[in-house]
Amino acid sequence: MTHSIDDTFDPTADPGGDGWGIEELLSVDTSGMSAGEALAFAEAIGQMQAMLHAQRLRACRRYRVATGHDEWAHDALAARLKTSIHRAGTEMALADDLIERLPRTLAAMDEGRLDDYRARQIAEAAEPLDGDQCAELEDRLFPAATDQPPQRLRQRARRAVAAIDPDAATTRARRARGSRRVELDHGEDGVSWLNLCLPSEVAAAAFDRIDSLARQANSDGDVRTLDQMRADVAAELLLGTNQQAMHAQVYVTAGASTLLGLDELPGELRGCGPLPAERVRELAYDLKATWSGLLTDDTGQPAALARDRYRFTGRLAEFVRLRDETCRHPACHKPAHRCDIDHRVPYPHGPTTAANAQVLCRRHHRQKHSSPTPPTGQPEDDPPPF
């Protein structure tokens, strides 16, 4: 049996028939492939890996059941798979979630359309939901989930969970805030990680201040990278050697009904994701908070913000950045406030409006105008969080 790399990979095909099987995939010579052929082949391998991982999860689950849920099952599995006990435990937990509560997610893995990492994002988001709510979550996520990169899928799943059960999302957020801590993880070659687990809005404000100070410190002849400068600034702030004042900005968006306490729909912390309604109101009514109103239509698009000019400025630009959150390239997560605002349909053929706008980082903005394969990111299916 022979195959052309242009053959469509059908993960449901019989490996012994006309479809791609493991032996066929392993025997393909990649050295003479064109760029398009190599990309298609990598996709086929990824699909096969997803299918195999689904079966591996079932095997892990069956092993635990067959041993009578023995307390040492994790240890034996870890030893056999040459992994850590913690990793074996999370593998079994994922198997339980997918088999018992998230059958459509497991089915997408069986079909080679969803890898285990993205399946894990869904399972983690679904943790506070009961069985019926999990079914509603999958209804909201599929079939679009199979085409979304991990971070965007995770954000969408979290938004869906907050909409399905706001009380559970609030309870989970309170519990998470209680787990804030500082951890020191010594690495090799004289460097270590100092990790801070903080409420998202606090962490965002802290990073904004560190980043701003690092960028201000940049000068001619400084050979440090921006990452190195951020690390140096953070250490100086913690050790008390950098006392320069800096105002940090954190954007939280929410509907008026949430701010007034009429519903429990979540707000949105820019660059992070959903924020429980309770926390949104706490931040909004803080004495240091600054409010900015924006009138939107029934679809969540801004009303009367179109401009007969080229540049996106003022509140229109602010709206687009808050709406898109990150670069629209499917694999890029650069925060919107560090990106360009681009016309989807080039000006003047397309207007300077929110509907014709997308946020692209400088790299992917250049790619759109210079590459034969420009970015294909699309706006989120969910309406803006206000």
Side-chain angles (χ1 to χ4, degrees):
M1 174 172 46
T2 60
H3 289 282
S4 163
I5 196 62
D6 293 327
D7 288 349
T8 299
F9 175 72
D10 180 3
T12 64
D14 177 7
D18 295 330
W20 284 95
I22 294 179
E23 291 184 1
E24 286 79 15
L25 290 173
L26 292 175
S27 63
V28 171
D29 181 6
T30 61
S31 61
M33 289 183 182
S34 68
E37 289 172 339
L39 194 60
F41 185 66
E43 181 183 20
I45 294 291
Q47 290 174 314
M48 183 65 75
Q49 286 177 321
M51 296 166 60
L52 291 173
H53 204 111
Q55 285 295 81
R56 171 168 152 158
L57 290 173
R58 288 189 178 92
C60 291
R61 159 85 171 189
R62 178 55 192 162
Y63 170 75
R64 190 159 67 110
V65 172
T67 58
H69 299 274
D70 184 87
E71 65 173 308
W72 304 112
H74 294 181
D75 302 70
L77 181 65
R80 190 63 173 266
L81 299 182
K82 308 298 188 297
T83 188
S84 67
I85 296 175
H86 174 75
R87 177 68 181 272
T90 59
E91 193 88 340
M92 285 185 172
L94 179 61
D96 289 341
D97 280 337
L98 298 187
I99 293 171
E100 295 179 1
R101 295 166 13 105
L102 298 164
R104 289 183 66 180
T105 304
L106 183 59
M109 291 183 67
D110 284 330
E111 296 166 1
R113 297 185 296 115
L114 192 75
D115 60 79
D116 67 293
Y117 185 72
R118 289 182 294 157
R120 197 179 302 278
Q121 307 306 308
I122 297 175
E124 290 178 355
E127 184 268 333
L129 303 181
D130 61 29
D132 290 339
Q133 290 172 327
C134 283
E136 183 178 350
L137 172 64
E138 290 190 312
D139 287 341
R140 288 172 177 257
L141 296 182
F142 288 96
T146 59
D147 293 323
Q148 293 180 325
Q151 184 167 336
R152 288 185 185 160
L153 176 57
R154 178 172 177 268
Q155 298 283 13
R156 191 177 182 198
R158 289 174 60 199
R159 293 189 188 105
V161 168
I164 292 169
D165 193 343
D167 290 338
T170 298
T171 299
R172 182 175 174 176
R174 289 174 181 169
R175 186 168 64 246
R177 288 174 66 86
S179 68
R180 60 191 181 275
R181 60 193 180 276
V182 179
E183 295 179 345
L184 178 61
D185 182 15
H186 288 298
E188 299 178 354
D189 302 319
V191 295
S192 300
W193 285 94
L194 180 63
N195 304 309
L196 287 78
C197 178
L198 300 168
S200 295
E201 70 279 1
V202 176
F207 182 84
D208 184 77
R209 184 182 185 195
I210 291 169
D211 181 68
S212 297
L213 290 173
R215 292 177 185 274
Q216 285 185 7
N218 189 17
S219 60
D220 293 338
D222 197 325
V223 298
R224 293 178 295 175
T225 66
L226 184 57
D227 280 337
Q228 291 170 339
M229 295 176 71
R230 290 193 191 108
D232 293 344
V233 165
E236 291 169 359
L237 288 171
L238 287 171
L239 296 173
T241 56
N242 189 331
Q243 300 297 327
Q244 182 176 350
M246 174 62 61
H247 178 66
Q249 291 184 325
V250 177
Y251 283 86
V252 178
T253 55
S257 56
T258 297
L259 293 174
L260 295 174
L262 301 178
D263 59 43
E264 294 300 310
L265 295 177
E268 193 85 4
L269 176 62
R270 184 171 75 176
C272 176
L275 206 61
E278 178 181 73
R279 185 55 181 159
V280 169
R281 287 189 287 269
E282 290 176 358
L283 293 172
Y285 291 103
D286 186 281
L287 293 177
K288 298 178 182 178
T290 300
W291 290 33
S292 178
L294 181 67
L295 181 64
T296 62
D297 60 25
D298 292 339
T299 68
Q301 298 298 327
L305 278 180
R307 295 288 185 268
D308 186 19
R309 58 187 179 189
Y310 174 70
R311 295 193 179 280
F312 294 90
T313 59
R315 299 183 71 190
L316 175 59
E318 182 179 12
F319 173 87
V320 172
R321 289 194 166 95
L322 291 172
R323 179 197 68 188
D324 286 2
E325 297 183 333
T326 64
C327 172
R328 291 293 83 192
H329 189 283
C332 183
H333 310 297
K334 183 175 284 294
H337 64 282
R338 298 199 188 104
C339 297
D340 301 332
I341 301 181
D342 173 61
H343 289 84
R344 291 181 177 276
V345 178
Y347 183 87
H349 304 292
T352 303
T353 62
N356 191 42
Q358 64 178 347
V359 168
L360 292 174
C361 69
R362 186 58 54 86
R363 172 184 173 82
H364 292 122
H365 196 171
R366 292 202 318 269
Q367 181 190 15
K368 177 188 174 184
H369 294 289
S370 61
S371 171
T373 56
T376 57
Q378 297 296 326
E380 295 287 347
D381 295 333
D382 298 333
F386 34 77

